[in-house]
Every structure is written in structure tokens, then in C-alpha cells.
Amino acid sequence: MRLYIKLSRNRETIPFNYQYLLTGVIHKWIGENNKEHGKRSLYSFSWLQNTSTVKGGINLNSNSYFFISTYESSLLKAITKGILADPDAFCGSRVIDVQIKETPRFSGEEHFMLNSPILLRKRDGEKIKHVTYRDEDFNQLLTENLKNKMRMVSMDTEGISVELDKSYAFPQTKLIDYKGIKNKTTLAPVIIKGSPKQVAFAWEVGLGNSTGIGFGAIK
């Protein structure tokens, strides 16, 4: 399922590195019985859509929004309840509309754009390395990351694969600052193959690491 959250215009300029603000307000809406801290996230959320760049940051427009997708419908219900209790977001903006969208019926092969870049990490000896589309094992690690999430809900992992869309001419790496930590990420379309149920799961939970702080959301 997916929750589309429309925001009012902001009163204070929103900083360019605003992911932590989105993360914070989502956890506020989840509420006191928040079981999402410290575990692998089975949800993802987009960056802000339809914004305007201004000096020092961005502003929201009359049609600005973001979305939250999740495998667990109970989480969206908790967030909706939290929004109704306290619709304030950040920088003077607040929620003015909420719409729920059921998970679409997908085929066994789908092409997806991203609404936030993919963060993918692997251990390299004593260090943690950021993996991008330029690395040979990008597709393999991205697929395995998704399989690990599928195993959390006892879903069959046979036949699932995620790969970069090689026909796309302009893949990018982006260095994203999250609360002072630099993250090297990938922004490019992907192709997901598997059963319709497996593809739907990927659409809900997102791709790669740290989807719970705004990475890897599928459009």
C-alpha cells in the first residue's frame, strides 16, 4: 500500500538536506509504540515532489507531496492516525490531504524509475563500502538485499532479480549528506523480474539500504 501526503506551503525555507526532517516527522506520526527503530525497514518513502529551489534551500508549492509505501498495512494505519492527531510537518508546513493507494497488479517484469536514490553498502574487510552502478556487483548485491527483506516475511525468493536498466543513457551517482554522513548513491531506472507478488513487494519496501530514512523509493 502507499500513502500520498500533500503538504501546505512552508513558512521557513526547507534545507536542501531535509531527509532527516521527513524521517523525524514520519516517526512522530508512527507514535509512541514505534517498533521501526533499529530494524530493517519494510517501508520506503520518497523525497519531496513538486518543489521550487530558492536561496539556501527549497519551498513547497500548492501541489507538493511525498509518499510512504509499506508491506505492512498496519504501519500506514498508524501513520494516518498520527497525522490526524498532529498534522504539523516541518518548517511551517502541515498535511492538508492524505490519499491511500492499493498496491498495483504488476507483471513478472517491470521497469521502474526512482523517487529517491539507491544506497547500497557492503563490508570490505573492516570497512563499509558504498556500492554504485559503476561496480560490477551492483545488481547482485541489490538483488540479495531485496531477498533478505523477503525472507523477513517468509516470502519465496526464487526467481527475483533487480538490475540497472542498461538502456538508460544518464545514470548518476549522487553524494547525499544525511546528518553529516556522506552517502554515495545511485539514481537510475531499474528492471525488476520475478513473480507479480515479488515485484509488488519491491515496490512497497523500496530498494537497497536505509529505505527507512529516505533512500531507494520506487516511483
Side-chain angles (χ1 to χ4, degrees):
M1 296 179 69
R2 179 166 288 186
L3 203 64
Y4 288 88
I5 300 172
K6 186 176 181 180
L7 299 175
S8 70
R9 294 180 185 272
N10 50 299
R11 293 194 300 270
E12 304 170 9
T13 300
I14 298 171
F16 289 117
N17 297 324
Y18 61 77
Q19 271 177 267
Y20 73 96
L21 295 174
L22 276 175
T23 303
V25 77
I26 288 169
H27 281 280
K28 180 188 77 169
W29 290 331
I30 292 173
E32 294 181 359
N33 297 320
N34 188 345
K35 300 177 182 179
E36 300 303 318
H37 283 299
K39 75 173 189 177
R40 189 187 298 266
S41 299
L42 294 179
Y43 69 95
S44 59
F45 61 89
S46 72
W47 287 3
L48 296 171
Q49 305 296 299
N50 302 331
T51 61
S52 298
T53 301
V54 295
K55 184 178 180 180
I58 63 172
N59 281 336
L60 301 175
N61 299 314
S62 60
N63 60 344
S64 296
Y65 71 95
F66 71 102
F67 65 73
I68 306 170
S69 295
T70 179
Y71 176 75
E72 301 167 314
S73 59
S74 59
L75 180 61
L76 286 194
K77 292 177 181 177
I79 292 172
T80 302
K81 183 178 179 181
I83 291 172
L84 291 172
D86 182 4
D88 288 339
F90 45 82
C91 298
S93 67
R94 65 197 318 265
V95 178
I96 55 177
D97 187 50
V98 174
Q99 295 184 10
I100 296 178
K101 179 179 180 179
E102 294 291 335
T103 302
R105 294 184 178 180
F106 294 110
S107 69
E109 180 175 336
E110 296 284 350
H111 176 278
F112 291 111
M113 302 295 288
L114 295 171
N115 270 123
S116 60
I118 293 171
L119 173 62
L120 194 57
R121 294 187 291 254
K122 72 173 182 180
R123 183 169 292 280
D124 184 10
E126 296 298 317
K127 298 181 180 180
I128 299 297
K129 179 184 176 182
H130 290 165
V131 179
T132 73
Y133 77 92
R134 292 173 174 161
D135 295 295
E136 292 183 357
D137 53 355
F138 178 79
N139 291 342
Q140 175 192 341
L141 293 173
L142 194 57
T143 299
E144 189 57 37
N145 181 278
L146 180 59
K147 286 183 176 181
N148 287 337
K149 293 180 182 180
M150 294 168 68
R151 294 184 184 107
M152 291 174 62
V153 296
S154 302
M155 185 179 292
D156 181 18
T157 63
E158 186 68 28
I160 187 69
S161 68
V162 188
E163 60 185 43
L164 187 77
D165 180 0
K166 294 181 180 178
S167 69
Y168 184 68
F170 305 106
Q172 301 177 52
T173 59
K174 293 178 70 69
L175 192 63
I176 306 298
D177 185 317
Y178 185 85
K179 299 178 75 171
I181 298 175
K182 307 293 185 181
N183 298 281
K184 195 174 184 180
T185 67
T186 295
L187 190 58
V190 296
I191 297 171
I192 302 179
K193 300 177 183 178
S195 70
K197 183 178 179 181
Q198 291 171 330
V199 175
F201 179 82
W203 183 83
E204 291 169 335
V205 304
L207 299 174
N209 298 111
S210 300
T211 59
I213 60 171
F215 290 104
I218 294 176
K219 189 171 183 179

